[in-house]
């Protein structure tokens, strides 16, 4: 299911909020309360929000969304991020692609490249390249996570540690300007760290919603990243802080050709 513009706006409004009433949303959008309730029902059915009596709120801060829910969340932003990243990946490059729905979007944007060598633990990424005779794909072993459609564990980490690639493209569950890249479990942390430790160029692909989540597991400081590709930043001072760390921030909008 694709979210409509109003539903996406509702998600943005409830980010960081425990409760917003149907009445206030109805007034904000100048829509009937029945329409707002229908939007809320769909968002909750997708696992993107939590229903309350008379309103709606964000999910508990330590809870990550299901793979299917993440796939529809900020879908257009992920496409824009993926297109911008693909512009910076030359033919014949070696690329490590990690966990997440944004990384899946990046893989789709790379399908027209020539001579790529892809290493990944992401089953969806591997299947996207399966029919391309010009792209070499190496898929890790490890423990299968059926709901996330990827491989994790020590065998997977060892796989990534066995290579050194031109580009590592990673996503994370959460961002904190003081603590850096964060995630929801240590399997994700170990895999992302191994990608970053074994690559020449390190790209972070994240949409704005990552700034509003609270995860407990530290992945890496921002200083380890070369470029952050995002739809927008929630605060202008974040851009200044990242720039001070020599991290290039590239905002990705339809038709936008520069950072």
């Amino acid at each position: 299911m694709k979210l409509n513009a109003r539903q996406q706006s509702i998600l943005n409004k409830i980010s960081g909020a425990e409760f917003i009433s149907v009445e206030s949303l109805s007034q904000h959008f100048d829509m009937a309360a029945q329409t707002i309730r229908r939007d809320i029902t769909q968002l909750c059915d997708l696992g993107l929000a939590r229903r309350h009596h008379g309103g709606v709120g964000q999910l508990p801060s330590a809870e990550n969304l299901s793979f299917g829910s993440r796939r529809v969340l900020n879908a257009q932003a992920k496409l824009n991020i993926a297109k911008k990243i693909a512009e910076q990946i030359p033919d014949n490059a070696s690329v490590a692609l990690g966990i997440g729905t944004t990384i899946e979007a990046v893989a789709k944007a790379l399908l027209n490249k020539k001579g790529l060598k892809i290493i990944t633990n992401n089953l969806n990424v591997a299947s996207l390249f399966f029919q391309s005779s010009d792209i070499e794909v190496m898929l890790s072993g490890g423990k299968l996570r059926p709901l996330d459609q990827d491989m994790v564990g020590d065998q997977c980490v060892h796989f990534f540690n066995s290579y050194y690639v031109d580009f590592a493209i990673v996503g994370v569950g959460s961002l904190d300007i003081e603590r850096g890249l964060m995630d929801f479990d240590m399997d994700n942390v170990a895999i992302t760290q191994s990608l970053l430790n074994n690559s020449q160029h390190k790209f972070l692909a994240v949409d704005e919603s990552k700034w509003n989540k609270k995860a407990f597991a530290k992945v890496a400081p921002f200083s380890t990243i070369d470029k952050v590709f995002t739809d927008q930043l929630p605060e202008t001072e974040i851009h200044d802080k990242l720039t001070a760390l020599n991290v290039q921030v590239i905002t990705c909008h339809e038709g936008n050709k520069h950072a």
Side-chain angles (χ1 to χ4, degrees):
M1 175 183 170
K2 183 178 180 180
L3 301 183
N4 62 43
R6 187 175 58 253
Q7 289 170 327
Q8 187 64 65
S9 182
I10 290 173
L11 285 179
N12 292 337
K13 287 181 68 65
I14 68 174
S15 292
E18 294 185 4
F19 177 83
I20 295 179
S21 70
V22 170
E23 181 181 1
S24 64
L25 290 171
S26 177
Q27 293 174 353
H28 175 80
F29 293 106
D30 192 23
M31 298 293 294
Q34 182 178 0
T35 302
I36 298 299
R37 290 192 187 96
R38 187 160 53 245
D39 285 335
I40 289 173
T41 295
Q42 292 175 348
L43 292 173
C44 293
D45 288 346
L46 287 169
L48 299 173
R50 169 168 286 189
R51 185 183 290 104
H52 296 278
H53 179 70
V56 65
Q58 69 172 0
L59 293 173
S61 59
E63 181 179 340
N64 196 9
L65 299 173
S66 69
F67 184 88
S69 298
R70 284 182 276 130
R71 210 175 217 168
V72 300
L73 184 62
N74 294 327
Q76 186 58 54
K78 293 173 183 178
L79 289 176
N80 295 339
I81 290 168
K83 290 177 183 177
K84 185 64 66 174
I85 290 176
E87 291 175 5
Q88 301 205 18
I89 305 297
D91 290 342
N92 303 309
S94 56
V95 184
L97 295 170
I99 294 168
T101 57
T102 305
I103 303 304
E104 182 181 340
V106 172
K108 292 178 182 178
L110 291 173
L111 286 174
N112 292 327
K113 297 290 182 177
K114 304 297 183 183
L116 295 183
K117 289 182 173 60
I118 303 292
I119 65 170
T120 186
N121 67 318
N122 190 317
L123 299 182
N124 289 323
V125 167
S127 65
L128 283 169
F129 291 113
F130 180 74
Q131 298 184 29
S132 175
S133 60
D134 197 49
I135 296 178
E136 182 180 351
V137 181
M138 288 160 279
L139 178 65
S140 79
K143 178 178 68 176
L144 173 65
R145 293 195 302 191
L147 295 180
D148 292 298
Q149 300 176 37
D150 59 22
M151 309 297 289
V152 296
D154 292 342
Q155 187 176 350
C156 180
V157 172
H158 178 74
F159 168 81
F160 285 121
N161 287 340
S162 300
Y163 297 93
Y164 188 85
V165 297
D166 299 320
F167 298 90
I169 304 171
V170 302
V172 291
S174 173
L175 297 171
D176 185 290
I177 193 56
E178 301 299 331
R179 298 174 180 85
L181 285 62
M182 308 286 289
D183 222 312
F184 294 92
D185 67 68
M186 295 309 297
D187 279 331
N188 291 358
V189 170
I191 290 167
T192 303
Q193 287 175 343
S194 64
L195 267 69
L196 295 176
N197 290 336
N198 295 285
S199 58
Q200 182 178 2
H201 304 288
K202 302 162 179 57
F203 291 177
L204 176 63
V206 287
D207 63 70
E208 185 191 14
S209 69
K210 302 298 184 180
W211 292 97
N212 297 311
K213 296 182 178 180
K214 298 295 183 183
F216 69 95
K218 293 182 179 181
V219 178
F222 281 111
S223 58
T224 62
I225 299 298
D226 298 310
K227 297 181 181 181
V228 174
F229 295 79
T230 187
D231 51 337
Q232 59 184 343
L233 296 174
E235 301 171 8
T236 55
E237 52 263 36
I238 290 177
H239 185 282
D240 296 336
K241 289 182 179 180
L242 292 176
T243 301
L245 294 170
N246 294 318
V247 179
Q248 183 179 358
V249 179
I250 299 176
T251 55
C252 308
H253 302 291
E254 200 74 43
N256 185 18
K257 298 299 182 184
H258 57 274

